[in-house]
Amino acid sequence: MAKDVIFRDVKEQSYYRLENQDGGTREVDEAAVEEYLEAIFDDPDQFIILTPPKAQKGIRFIQARQDNDDRQIEVELALQVEGGIRLYYKMVSPSQCYRIFMDYFDNAFSPNMAEYQPVEFP
């Protein structure tokens, strides 16, 4: 039976943070986001997390990884809810993933939450 999990919230900070399994940086610009995205498009074992200084439209951070079966990208949104953060996901193409990350980086991302499903954990 799958569980609905609420994670601890992420504290506000004074900078953007970009991370993958090789590390992270506070030197975040569009070129850095593109470089980190290319890594997940090329390597199914890689992931990316983009965290702004504070939540944008209720989204604390976004993350993505490649689905090993069909090369689609699973994008997850970390929504702030009472008590912490809840993750929601949808499968997208690499070009859709790129657009989501760039819009989020520019604080212009307004997701249609009807397209996202809660991430469930075993």
Side-chain angles (χ1 to χ4, degrees), residues 40-51:
I40 68 165
F41 300 156
D42 294 338
D43 182 354
D45 295 325
Q46 192 60 267
F47 65 87
I48 180 176
I49 303 170
L50 178 60
T51 307

Side-chain angles (χ1 to χ4, degrees), residues 11-28:
K11 292 181 182 178
E12 289 188 9
Q13 53 207 21
S14 61
Y15 51 85
Y16 272 86
R17 178 125 177 104
L18 188 60
E19 301 170 79
N20 65 17
Q21 69 189 49
D22 300 324
T25 184
R26 293 181 186 179
E27 302 295 321
V28 181

Side-chain angles (χ1 to χ4, degrees), residues 16 54-57 101-110:
Y16 272 86
K54 62 182 181 178
Q56 297 178 2
K57 300 175 184 155
F101 270 79
M102 289 303 171
D103 286 350
Y104 189 69
F105 180 67
D106 291 335
N107 198 13
F109 182 57
S110 294

Side-chain angles (χ1 to χ4, degrees), residues 40-41 64-66 71-75 90-92 94 97:
I40 68 165
F41 300 156
R65 67 171 186 82
Q66 188 182 132
R71 296 191 52 85
Q72 286 254 295
I73 307 298
E74 180 177 321
V75 171
K90 87 173 187 177
M91 302 305 292
V92 299
C97 179

